């Protein structure tokens, strides 16, 4: 206690310090225990998280109420307060990852912001302890992730500049070995920020921040007379395993875009330090919750199967499971007399080093199937429940050969397997197919060679794209030849939006003069009717109208009938 004789300290103040030390130790112990919780399964972790939040709530309020005593008797430093706030920010962020409720991102942001505004870490540089500076750098990296997820790009740019200065100062003072790692963090986030191929500009040339989460105006509403299924999207696996794609903090740009397509706009929770799940019911959002998500970056086959099994097991009645695969294609090695669900290849899963010997054997014998690959047949057992699959890969067509064994609703949306040469160079900045599912207008501008646009024109085009989505919804629900599986999923607003965007993507690419090979077009299982939907004349007229507004009509065919 700050070098003061114990006897001179009043009993009340001594108890304050003792209570603070107890809460601090307890909070650290509980926080460290979080990493031992299973990452899958939605229920086992909740009570532990609740206890951790309780202790941090008490600790935060305690240090606020007794700050002067703790300053004088304990020697509480500002960076220690920053550490507590940072841990609370991390708790809220991890609660978001566990629940997919975007409101908790706002809570994480408010604590991370407070650290910066109150300069809690500013004195760290005066202490000759590199480990404290690393805590500060990690705080910046975590704050950047939360800001990216909340689309607070202005804050991200400020944070990146501050982090860059901090890294320079850190490496200059301590001559550490982790300089390359921290510089890589900076490079990754810089590339992530610049991944969008089109900028929307205000009149003063500032960049407009565009959110691609679900809002009231985004998804086409179900109109009277539309007969659709009642399935709700309850769970989603978002898997990223593209070797050369822009990424930050175990989130590739494709994963980032897809997770936003499966979330609503975040709401602010009114009471800042309430424990998650214990808000007053009046504060609860009136709309249904976001579907729960697992984000898997470069998973091994066993990790992917474990998470998939957990999702399958916990899927409620009348619910659907979505699997999004953004991964390098794995192609079949040998010819087979019988073409079954393991004969078309699939997409790559991560290989552990401990199976190198197995790999060597496999390479010598062409009759073996690729081990580090998610084959269509691997998903068969899980089609006992409604499943919606999106595959963005150079071998997406492997999943076209599905067999619906159990008669449950099953749809696969499959990316083109190749793109025109001019677009191939952009693959690092994310896939065109996923961009269409996340932000169809931006994808349309990109294939039209446009890299910036005024806000007024953007909004005019967005209105037309929304109208097209509504018309596509009409086409699908009134079609007599469309497979019922599509309609089974059409009652869910997230899946409805993905389906209408998929059809918009397919219709657009079929009309674009650069996309002339069959492999340049998306496909689906079951197939969608071509004349009635994918090459519908009314839809083609609207695409040409959009192209005319943008003055790029010369890039598109007047009709795909020109081709026949």
């Amino acid at each position: 206690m700050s070098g003061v004789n114990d006897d001179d300290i009043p009993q009340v103040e001594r108890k304050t310090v003792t209570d603070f030390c107890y809460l601090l130790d307890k909070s650290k112990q509980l926080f460290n225990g979080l990493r031992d919780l299973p990452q899958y399964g939605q229920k086992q972790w909740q009570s532990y998280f609740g206890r951790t939040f309780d202790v941090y709530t008490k600790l935060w309020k305690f240090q606020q109420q007794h700050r002067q005593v703790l300053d004088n008797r304990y020697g509480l430093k500002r960076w220690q307060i920053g550490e507590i706030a940072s841990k609370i920010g991390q708790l809220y962020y991890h609660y978001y990852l566990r629940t997919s409720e975007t409101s908790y991102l706002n809570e994480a942001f408010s604590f991370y912001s407070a650290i910066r505004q109150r300069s809690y870490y500013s004195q760290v540089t005066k202490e000759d302890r590199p480990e404290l500076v690393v805590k500060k750098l990690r705080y910046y990296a975590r704050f950047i992730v939360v800001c990216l997820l909340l689309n607070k790009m202005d804050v991200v740019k400020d944070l990146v500049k501050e982090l860059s200065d901090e890294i320079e100062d850190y490496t200059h003072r301590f001559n550490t070995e982790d300089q390359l790692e921290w510089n890589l963090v900076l490079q990754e986030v810089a590339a992530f920020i610049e991944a969008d191929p089109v900028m929307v500009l205000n009149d003063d040339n500032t960049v407009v921040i565009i959110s691609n989460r679900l809002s009231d105006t985004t998804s086409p509403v179900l109109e009277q007379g539309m007969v659709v299924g009642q399935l709700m999207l309850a769970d989603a696996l978002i898997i990223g395993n593209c070797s050369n794609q822009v990424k930050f903090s175990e989130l590739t740009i494709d994963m980032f875009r897809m997770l936003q397509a499966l979330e609503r706009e975040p709401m602010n929770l009114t009471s800042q330090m309430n424990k998650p799940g214990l808000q007053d019911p009046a504060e609860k959002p009136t709309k249904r919750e976001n579907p729960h998500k697992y984000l898997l970056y470069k998973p091994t086959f066993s990790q992917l199967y474990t998470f998939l099994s957990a999702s399958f097991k916990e899927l409620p009645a009348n619910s659907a499971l979505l699997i999004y695969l953004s991964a390098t294609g794995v192609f079949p090695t040998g010819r087979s007399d019988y073409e079954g669900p393991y004969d078309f290849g699939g997409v790559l899963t991560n290989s552990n080093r401990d199976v190198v010997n197995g790999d060597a054997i496999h390479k010598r014998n062409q009759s073996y199937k690729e081990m580090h690959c998610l084959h269509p047949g691997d998903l068969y057992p899980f089609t006992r429940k409604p499943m919606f699959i999106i595959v963005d890969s150079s071998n997406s067509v492997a999943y076209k050969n599905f067999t619906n064994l159990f008669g449950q609703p099953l749809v696969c949306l499959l990316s083109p397997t190749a793109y025109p040469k001019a677009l191939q160079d952009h693959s690092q900045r994310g896939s065109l197919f996923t961009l269409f599912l996340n932000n169809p207008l931006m994808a349309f501008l990109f294939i039209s060679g446009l890299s910036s646009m005024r806000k007024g024109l953007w909004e005019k085009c967005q209105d037309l794209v929304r109208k097209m989505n509504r018309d596509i919804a009409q086409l699908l629900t009134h079609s007599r030849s469309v497979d019922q599986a599509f309609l089974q999923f059409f009652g869910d607003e997230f899946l409805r939006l993905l389906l209408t965007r998929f059809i918009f993507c397919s219709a657009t690419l079929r009309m674009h003069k650069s996309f002339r090979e069959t492999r340049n077009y998306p496909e689906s299982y079951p197939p969608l009717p071509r004349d009635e939907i994918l090459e519908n004349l009314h839809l083609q007229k609207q695409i040409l109208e959009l192209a005319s507004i943008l003055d790029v009509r010369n890039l598109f065919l007047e009709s795909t009938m020109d081709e026949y």
Side-chain angles (χ1 to χ4, degrees), residues 160-361:
V160 169
K161 186 171 185 329
E162 289 172 28
L163 177 58
S164 177
D165 293 342
E166 293 287 348
I167 290 169
E168 197 173 323
D169 179 63
Y170 166 65
T171 51
H172 180 70
R173 282 177 62 215
F174 296 108
N175 193 23
T176 60
E177 293 177 5
D178 54 358
Q179 180 178 358
L180 285 175
E181 290 170 40
W182 282 110
N183 284 334
L184 183 62
V185 168
L186 284 175
Q187 288 165 25
E188 283 184 351
V189 73
F192 208 91
I193 294 167
E194 290 164 14
D196 279 355
V198 180
M199 280 192 300
V200 182
L201 301 171
N202 287 308
D203 292 339
D204 61 358
N205 280 346
T206 54
V207 177
V208 179
I209 306 303
I210 296 161
S211 172
N212 297 306
R213 287 189 168 93
L214 189 73
S215 66
D216 292 338
T217 58
T218 322
S219 195
V221 293
L222 288 175
E223 296 170 20
Q224 213 167 359
M226 288 186 175
V227 180
V228 296
Q230 300 303 307
L231 289 172
M232 299 284 273
L233 178 60
D235 221 333
L237 268 74
I238 296 179
I239 295 149
N241 192 14
C242 288
S243 50
N244 63 344
Q245 203 174 84
V246 166
K247 69 127 187 115
F248 185 63
S249 179
E250 303 216 326
L251 204 59
T252 66
I253 194 71
D254 276 357
M255 292 170 71
F256 177 72
R257 285 173 177 157
M258 184 48 61
L259 79 86
Q260 298 220 336
L262 299 178
E263 290 180 349
R264 299 178 184 289
E265 285 298 338
M267 295 171 65
N268 276 312
L269 299 178
T270 50
S271 53
Q272 194 179 66
M273 266 304 290
N274 268 5
K275 188 166 61 173
L278 295 188
Q279 276 81 33
D280 187 283
E283 296 168 22
K284 282 273 186 192
T286 49
K287 298 236 161 131
R288 59 167 275 212
E289 296 174 338
N290 290 328
H292 173 262
K293 297 185 297 296
Y294 289 120
L295 305 175
L296 302 180
Y297 173 67
K298 295 199 169 179
T300 62
F301 177 81
S302 61
Q303 285 169 331
L304 196 160
Y305 232 55
T306 303
F307 281 87
L308 183 51
S309 301
S311 286
F312 178 84
K313 180 185 172 192
E314 296 192 346
L315 198 69
N318 301 317
S319 297
L321 169 63
L322 181 144
I323 301 172
Y324 168 78
L325 296 163
S326 160
T328 306
V330 176
F331 296 89
T333 44
R335 298 299 304 157
S336 170
D337 297 336
Y338 161 71
E339 293 206 319
Y342 287 88
D343 293 318
F344 299 99
V347 299
L348 192 67
T349 55
N350 211 1
S351 57
N352 277 339
R353 291 194 184 92
D354 57 3
V355 289
V356 168
N357 293 338
D359 255 356
I361 296 165

Side-chain angles (χ1 to χ4, degrees), residues 38 46 66 119 161 206 408:
Q46 281 182 321
H66 304 282
S119 306
K161 186 171 185 329
T206 54
Q408 290 293 314

Side-chain angles (χ1 to χ4, degrees), residues 327-461:
T328 306
V330 176
F331 296 89
T333 44
R335 298 299 304 157
S336 170
D337 297 336
Y338 161 71
E339 293 206 319
Y342 287 88
D343 293 318
F344 299 99
V347 299
L348 192 67
T349 55
N350 211 1
S351 57
N352 277 339
R353 291 194 184 92
D354 57 3
V355 289
V356 168
N357 293 338
D359 255 356
I361 296 165
H362 154 75
K363 291 286 185 287
R364 284 201 303 273
N365 191 331
Q366 293 292 296
S367 65
Y368 290 132
K369 307 303 176 196
E370 172 57 59
M371 201 180 343
H372 307 299
C373 170
L374 187 75
H375 298 267
D378 293 324
L379 297 179
Y380 276 23
F382 303 102
T383 59
R384 288 175 168 83
K385 293 183 180 178
M387 186 177 282
F388 193 98
I389 302 165
I390 301 172
V391 186
D392 196 336
S393 173
S394 54
N395 191 25
S396 59
V397 289
Y399 297 81
K400 190 173 68 171
N401 304 289
F402 245 100
T403 307
N404 190 339
L405 298 175
F406 304 105
Q408 290 293 314
L410 173 66
V411 161
C412 303
L413 305 183
L414 311 171
S415 71
T417 54
Y419 292 102
K421 186 82 180 81
L423 296 178
Q424 288 167 11
D425 303 336
H426 289 266
S427 60
Q428 265 191 301
R429 292 164 69 176
S431 156
L432 176 66
F433 179 65
T434 293
L435 185 60
F436 262 106
L437 298 181
N438 163 266
N439 188 333
L441 179 54
M442 186 173 283
F444 191 95
L445 296 173
F446 175 53
I447 62 169
S448 303
L450 301 171
S451 59
S452 67
M453 167 175 283
R454 293 285 162 201
K455 187 183 178 186
L457 184 56
W458 170 270
E459 287 173 350
K460 182 181 177 182
C461 293

Side-chain angles (χ1 to χ4, degrees), residues 26 35 37 42 45 48 70 97 105 122 138 150 156 197 220 265 274 290 317 418 444 456 471 505 521 559 561:
K26 185 72 177 165
R35 61 179 69 117
L37 293 175
Q42 293 181 43
W45 54 272
Y48 191 95
L70 293 170
L97 289 180
L105 282 175
S122 61
R138 284 181 178 157
L150 287 170
V156 171
E265 285 298 338
N274 268 5
N290 290 328
F444 191 95
D471 291 352
C505 169
Y521 308 139
S559 158
M561 294 303 289

